[in-house]
Amino acid sequence: MIRFHNTLSGKVEAFEPVAPGLVKLYTCGPTVYDFPHIGNWRAYVFEDLLKRFLIFSGYKVTHVMNLTDVDDKTIRGAKAKGVGLEEYTRPFIEAFKKDLETLNILPADHYPRATGHIQEMVDIIKVLLEKGFAYKKDGSIYFAIAKFPAYGRLSKFNLEDLRPGSRGDADEYEKESVHDFALWKAPKEGEPVWETEIGPGRPGWHIECSAMSSKYLGRTFDIHCGGVDNIFPHHENEIAQSEAASGVKFVNFWLHCHHLVVDGEKMAKSKGNFYTLEDILSKGYDPREVRFLLLSTHYRKMLNFTFEALEQAKAARQRIGNFLGELKDVTNGTAETAEVLPLIETAREGFVTGLEDDLNISESMAVIFSLIKSLNPLLSRGEVSKSAAQKVLDLFSSLDEVLAIKPSPIRSASGKIAALTGVSATGAVGTVVKKQPSDMPNRLDSEIQERIEARQKARADKDFALADAIRKELLAEGILLEDTKDSVRWKKIVLPRT
Ligand code: AMP
Ligand code: ZN
């Protein structure tokens, strides 16, 4: 049974979708006024883990992620650059979609843009005016929070803090200044204007998500996600607008991930303490290492970003890669499938049980490393049979449908396909087996193999000075050789900058 922590109740609850077998999921997408930083990617990777686990558990998932292409920030950016909103936001939307793919995030079923859904927003605002939840003032339209008694339930603030009658136009504001918020903003010099039945103007940020979620998922849907900074005012206001207009419950489960921080401070554009994905990849990291780092801390815990933590994620992933490499190399062995099968079953169950418990990834990852620990001694003694090894490989393939961290071709900083990390080419000592990992560039692979063969020959000839020189020469290029009992493995490592 899957359980999630629901921000609305403040409790971990058993998860049931409205329609059996189908989960309707809405995740707040990027405000496309700049390139996303890896704090944003933490939120999107958490949402992808959630979605992949739901699919793994047998649900069909309909996923909507909006693109906020009109709000205070995009308007400010377009104005400063002297271009229209469409032209200003286009490169950020393109970059966002490219990075989604790079991080192996499953695409959403719909990526609605706010500018394409103005009519849907106007329709909700009309209902709110008719029902008396909204009022006009100086050409703008505001939501009267005092008319909605459940206001504050999500963000859990004291209802006495409400200040009926006070108003604000900004999309983002602090809890301390809770007030009636703008649904529709009166035209201003240099801002885009839509001529509509509720007057000229442009939407506030919050109404956008209410309109786009109900259009694609219906008035009540299963899960709504975002980072904790979205709880107030964004999600609080979404609930108020949607429920006041529809009269039914908006969302059953609210899941929020904690922040990615740098030195204890939220990573944010406004603070200038951010890295984009490209910044990190240009240092030679594989996107799957970034993904692994982002998903391996439980989503409700703060994640402190450091390059040391990234190195640890990289090493942990390489351990998995090396283990898989050894399993692939198994030719024969005495340990019967029957000895390995219970270990596989325990690992599969433990992995699933961990994630069923509010996506407890730490528990699931511990189970994987414990399986590796149990099997390594058997593997190094050559005791695992080929069919047993294949069963373990099958298990990892199946778990990777959730984790999506297995090696594959990656994009280098220059946009080319670069070599992989963490994959080994092996050969028995003296007689290097030519083995081509299918997803590596051949030139690089064959060159490395040649040098390994030359080193093996030097060792066989007892020319240890030459053998050592070749090892060092490869290391200087970032290729680390590892001599195991009866093979030579290599992997790419990131060299410290000189
Ligand atoms: P924005 O583009 O600012 O609307 O944010 C897009 C998503 O990223 C939202 O779900 C935010 O809550 C989330 N987010 C922003 N900064 C961080 C951070 N430092 N850590 C985790 N999530 C974040
Ligand atoms: Zn939103």
Side-chain angles (χ1 to χ4, degrees), residues 28-31 37 39-40 43-44 226-227 229-230 258-260 266-267:
C28 281
T31 306
H37 54 68
N40 301 124
Y44 306 134
D229 57 311
N230 281 162
H258 211 310
H259 283 144
L260 181 142
K266 179 191 168 198
M267 184 175 280

Side-chain angles (χ1 to χ4, degrees), residues 148-191:
F148 188 74
Y151 195 83
R153 227 174 48 186
L154 184 76
S155 38
K156 323 247 172 307
F157 59 77
N158 198 340
L159 288 182
E160 283 156 20
D161 292 343
L162 294 187
R163 295 188 295 161
S166 67
R167 268 178 302 280
D169 287 311
D171 284 335
E172 288 177 277
Y173 48 93
E174 298 300 319
K175 240 175 168 180
E176 292 67 43
S177 67
V178 56
H179 48 54
D180 291 355
F181 59 91
L183 296 161
W184 190 253
K185 305 190 188 191
K188 265 199 206 142
E189 181 68 32
E191 291 201 352

Side-chain angles (χ1 to χ4, degrees), residues 253-317:
F253 279 79
W254 289 88
L255 271 64
H256 294 101
C257 73
H258 211 310
H259 283 144
L260 181 142
V261 299
V262 187
D263 300 326
E265 273 215 80
K266 179 191 168 198
M267 184 175 280
K269 289 275 161 179
S270 56
K271 298 203 168 91
N273 61 350
F274 62 90
Y275 290 104
T276 64
L277 184 58
E278 209 58 43
D279 291 338
I280 293 179
L281 300 189
S282 68
K283 292 183 192 294
Y285 289 96
D286 182 320
R288 310 296 162 101
E289 288 158 3
V290 180
R291 180 178 167 98
F292 192 28
L293 173 72
L294 295 179
L295 64 67
S296 53
T297 295
H298 186 248
Y299 76 95
R300 286 199 291 123
K301 288 203 177 114
M302 194 123 79
L303 169 59
N304 190 22
F305 177 80
T306 59
F307 279 96
E308 206 183 333
L310 185 53
E311 280 296 324
Q312 281 166 9
K314 178 189 167 106
R317 183 172 164 275

Side-chain angles (χ1 to χ4, degrees), residues 172-461:
E172 288 177 277
Y173 48 93
E174 298 300 319
K175 240 175 168 180
E176 292 67 43
S177 67
V178 56
H179 48 54
D180 291 355
F181 59 91
L183 296 161
W184 190 253
K185 305 190 188 191
K188 265 199 206 142
E189 181 68 32
E191 291 201 352
V193 178
W194 280 266
E195 294 293 338
T196 73
E197 301 132 83
I198 52 173
R202 55 108 172 169
W205 172 34
H206 317 296
I207 193 71
E208 300 180 2
C209 283
S210 282
M212 290 185 275
S213 58
S214 60
K215 169 159 184 181
Y216 296 95
L217 298 175
R219 296 187 306 175
T220 302
F221 59 92
D222 302 301
I223 307 178
H224 195 315
C225 297
V228 287
D229 57 311
N230 281 162
I231 298 175
F232 185 85
H234 188 47
H235 291 166
E236 191 71 59
N237 292 352
E238 276 188 51
I239 294 176
Q241 301 156 157
S242 296
E243 296 192 356
S246 73
V248 296
K249 192 171 184 191
F250 177 41
V251 172
N252 286 330
F253 279 79
W254 289 88
L255 271 64
H256 294 101
C257 73
H258 211 310
H259 283 144
L260 181 142
V261 299
V262 187
D263 300 326
E265 273 215 80
K266 179 191 168 198
M267 184 175 280
K269 289 275 161 179
S270 56
K271 298 203 168 91
N273 61 350
F274 62 90
Y275 290 104
T276 64
L277 184 58
E278 209 58 43
D279 291 338
I280 293 179
L281 300 189
S282 68
K283 292 183 192 294
Y285 289 96
D286 182 320
R288 310 296 162 101
E289 288 158 3
V290 180
R291 180 178 167 98
F292 192 28
L293 173 72
L294 295 179
L295 64 67
S296 53
T297 295
H298 186 248
Y299 76 95
R300 286 199 291 123
K301 288 203 177 114
M302 194 123 79
L303 169 59
N304 190 22
F305 177 80
T306 59
F307 279 96
E308 206 183 333
L310 185 53
E311 280 296 324
Q312 281 166 9
K314 178 189 167 106
R317 183 172 164 275
Q318 275 181 358
R319 259 182 84 196
I320 300 176
N322 286 344
F323 175 70
L324 298 180
E326 286 191 32
L327 287 167
K328 279 185 190 136
D329 290 344
V330 163
T331 44
N332 54 12
T334 50
E336 288 307 318
T337 310
E339 282 176 56
V340 180
L341 268 187
L343 292 175
I344 296 178
E345 266 327 293
T346 309
R348 171 184 272 282
E349 264 172 41
F351 180 86
V352 171
T353 308
L355 289 177
E356 280 182 345
D357 178 17
D358 191 29
L359 296 180
N360 190 341
I361 188 76
S362 319
E363 194 180 311
S364 298
M365 292 314 299
V367 166
I368 289 185
F369 284 106
S370 144
L371 176 70
I372 294 177
K373 207 169 159 200
S374 313
L375 286 177
N376 264 338
L378 291 177
L379 270 173
S380 59
R381 290 199 299 269
E383 286 176 9
V384 177
S385 71
K386 192 156 177 53
S387 71
Q390 189 52 51
K391 290 223 156 41
V392 183
L393 284 168
D394 292 346
L395 170 75
F396 273 81
S397 292
S398 135
L399 303 188
D400 202 55
E401 283 166 27
V402 181
L403 301 173
I405 53 165
K406 261 183 31 183
S408 74
I410 64 160
R411 208 186 63 202
S412 71
S414 60
K416 292 191 213 107
I417 297 294
L420 297 168
T421 56
V423 177
S424 58
T426 62
V429 172
T431 52
V432 173
V433 179
K434 291 258 182 200
K435 192 171 168 201
Q436 302 276 332
S438 57
D439 41 9
M440 280 200 188
N442 286 336
R443 185 188 59 75
L444 194 57
D445 187 34
S446 59
E447 273 173 16
I448 295 167
Q449 284 293 5
E450 255 171 43
R451 298 310 288 147
I452 292 176
E453 280 178 40
R455 176 171 172 266
Q456 299 301 75
K457 184 170 180 313
R459 289 173 93 192
D461 295 344

Side-chain angles (χ1 to χ4, degrees), residues 26-63:
Y26 187 88
T27 59
C28 281
T31 306
V32 282
Y33 73 110
D34 206 338
F35 297 107
H37 54 68
I38 57 159
N40 301 124
W41 288 116
R42 181 190 196 193
Y44 306 134
V45 166
F46 139 65
E47 289 154 0
D48 189 54
L49 177 70
L50 166 71
K51 176 173 164 183
R52 282 174 176 272
F53 182 59
L54 288 166
I55 295 170
F56 180 86
S57 305
Y59 290 105
K60 185 180 174 311
V61 177
T62 303
H63 176 202

